[in-house]
Amino acid sequence: MRDILETALLASSVRVTSDGSYIGDALDVAIYKNFEETYGNKPENLTKVDELPFDSSRKRVSILYKVLSEDKYLLCVKGAGEEILQRSNTYQEENVIKPMSVEDRKRFMEIQDLLSKDGLRVLAVAKREFDEIDERDEWEKDLIFLGFIAFMDPLREGVKEAIEKCKEAGIRPIIVTGDYLLTAKKIAEDLGIDVDSGSTYTGLDLQRQDIDSLDWDSVVLFSRVLPEQKMNIVKELKERGEIVAMTGDGVNDAPALKMADIGVGMGLRGTDVAREASDLVLLDDSFATIVRAVEEGRRIFDNIRKVTYYLLSCNFSEILVVSLSVFLGYPLPLTPIELLWINLVTDGFPALALGVEPPEKDIMSRKPRKLNEGIINKSMWKNIIIDGILIGIAAFVLFVIGSKENINTGRTMAFTGIVFSQIFQALRLSLRKRKSLFRERFSNKYLTLAVLFSLFLQVLVVFTPIGIRFFNLERLSVREFLLTLVLALFPIYLLTGEKIYEKIFKRNINL
């Protein structure tokens, strides 16, 4: 055990800072800590001579030391089991060096597979001793295989739930890793990804097959891939019309991060190169944060749509009521100062409050919108025009009814009716996707305050002497005010009808 751990330690690069923290690859740090806790300090009779660094194509690292006490050289190697075993012609068992047969290699690979099936990350460890330094290309020949070190890398809390949310939201997670296939499969199963019904490929498969011939509709896992293969995977997905988000933390991930539509780097363990190549950097290195970011992005987009829908439908109603009056030969139902007041009271506070709406319950169960779909789609344009027509006609009817008394009464009723209608329209847009109108009517406290404040301001204008004089209005009777309120509630009637429709036909009405 000591020989395996010590060799693995010597094949690692870890630096201990003055405050006792460890800097280095997570696996190297784990080896260092384990050796330190078990056997104490690192051997001191060695001096580092040279190194063959790890890269994704080699899948191993070799560090050469000079043994000061014996005047010889020691090569310490660790890496992927298949790579180390291929270069080992002997193995050490009970301090005895034995020749490596084909059956031995098969037996050792079965041990690696057994460990990998439990989701452990497995590194093989080997060494070589020689008196004189050979050419660098000759160092890793005739290695002595020592054994395996297995690491448990537990899933972070909340990641499995985040993967489930991804699938509900129409986001397809694909694991692209340098890990051994069986290890990657076990991790995928623990995450709830169905590897049995999906397709899995290795880096060798990508070398042997044309990338177009892969089953891209069902692929869930790529293992033992090279950096250029990661980039090819991203490129192929983009060419198939997918929006690709790629996560990574190493230097080798940088090309794929740059090529992806959204490169997501790791802020804690990520390299500077990976962070520079990324569009987003996760400060906590958690996949669950990506899903929360998607949810927040959908909430913001929903709210932009609500505000845009609200402003366009309200402004269209104002245009309509004025246009109808002009075409039908009536006096203007709204004066310029009343129009300014409407835009201040209705386009101001309720519109701002709609911008901070909480997420709707089904926000992460919707499929992603089409790539070319803008903020306003065809269906929304149709609904905006219909809503504008209904609110505008209601205000025009109030104007006509009130004008039978006098022109100022007509304008007061139209003015009050269109303000109330637009305030109720904001409420309707907030509540139309809520499951329960009564339990969730105050889900957006800012909108509740904005609605109450806007209603209060309009009542002050209509019923106080200062407001009546300033806007040149008429004091409404109780009957006129109630009639105005009944017609102004048109958006609430539409909301009630939509909810009844959803209950009967079990179909949601979208913006």
Side-chain angles (χ1 to χ4, degrees), residues 75-95:
L75 184 73
C76 300
V77 188
K78 75 176 192 301
E82 59 270 28
E83 296 291 332
I84 303 296
L85 286 170
Q86 185 180 346
R87 286 160 178 79
S88 301
N89 61 356
T90 57
Y91 67 96
Q92 180 173 300
E93 188 173 38
E94 301 292 339
N95 292 323

Side-chain angles (χ1 to χ4, degrees), residues 278-320:
S278 302
D279 301 294
L280 299 173
V281 177
L282 300 180
L283 297 181
D284 59 0
D285 288 9
S286 174
F287 182 83
T289 303
I290 300 176
V291 180
R292 288 196 295 272
V294 171
E295 183 175 0
E296 180 64 11
R298 290 189 174 190
R299 184 189 74 85
I300 291 170
F301 188 81
D302 271 5
N303 291 349
I304 291 172
R305 277 191 157 175
K306 286 177 184 177
V307 172
T308 307
Y309 186 106
Y310 173 68
L311 293 176
L312 289 176
S313 62
C314 291
N315 288 325
F316 184 74
S317 68
E318 295 166 26
I319 294 170
L320 182 70

Side-chain angles (χ1 to χ4, degrees), residues 174-395:
I174 300 175
I175 296 177
V176 182
T177 178
D179 283 343
Y180 191 55
L181 177 61
L182 295 178
T183 302
K185 277 188 173 182
K186 175 60 178 174
I187 292 171
E189 289 171 356
D190 291 343
L191 289 171
I193 298 174
D194 189 0
V195 293
D196 293 328
S197 59
S199 302
T200 61
Y201 299 97
T202 65
L204 284 175
D205 295 328
L206 295 177
Q207 290 176 359
R208 293 167 182 164
Q209 292 180 243
D210 183 6
I211 196 166
D212 291 333
S213 66
L214 305 184
D215 187 2
W216 289 98
D217 292 332
S218 65
V219 65
V220 293
L221 171 65
F222 292 95
S223 67
R224 284 286 195 252
V225 292
L226 302 174
E228 58 270 23
Q229 291 173 333
K230 290 183 181 181
M231 194 167 61
N232 291 336
I233 290 167
V234 172
K235 182 181 178 182
E236 183 66 24
L237 287 168
K238 288 179 68 175
E239 289 177 352
R240 291 174 175 271
E242 303 283 1
I243 302 297
V244 183
M246 171 80 184
T247 66
D249 57 5
V251 173
N252 294 330
D253 295 322
L257 289 169
K258 194 71 175 175
M259 177 169 282
D261 294 295
I262 306 164
V264 184
M266 303 297 150
L268 293 178
R269 68 175 185 271
T271 61
D272 291 339
V273 175
R275 288 197 293 266
E276 287 293 326
S278 302
D279 301 294
L280 299 173
V281 177
L282 300 180
L283 297 181
D284 59 0
D285 288 9
S286 174
F287 182 83
T289 303
I290 300 176
V291 180
R292 288 196 295 272
V294 171
E295 183 175 0
E296 180 64 11
R298 290 189 174 190
R299 184 189 74 85
I300 291 170
F301 188 81
D302 271 5
N303 291 349
I304 291 172
R305 277 191 157 175
K306 286 177 184 177
V307 172
T308 307
Y309 186 106
Y310 173 68
L311 293 176
L312 289 176
S313 62
C314 291
N315 288 325
F316 184 74
S317 68
E318 295 166 26
I319 294 170
L320 182 70
V321 71
V322 173
S323 301
L324 273 177
S325 300
V326 172
F327 289 138
L328 297 178
Y330 283 89
L332 286 177
L334 300 169
T335 64
I337 196 169
E338 289 172 346
L339 285 170
L340 287 172
W341 176 258
I342 291 170
N343 288 327
L344 173 66
V345 173
T346 63
D347 292 1
F349 307 117
L352 288 173
L354 281 174
V356 292
E357 278 276 291
E360 294 167 354
K361 299 294 185 185
D362 68 338
I363 197 166
M364 288 302 285
S365 59
R366 306 177 200 161
K367 299 302 177 187
R369 68 181 187 278
K370 295 178 181 178
L371 180 60
N372 58 354
E373 183 178 333
I375 294 175
I376 306 294
N377 55 33
K378 290 181 180 179
S379 175
M380 287 180 66
W381 276 119
K382 181 186 73 174
N383 292 335
I384 285 168
I385 292 170
I386 292 172
D387 288 359
I389 290 173
L390 293 174
I391 294 172
I393 289 176

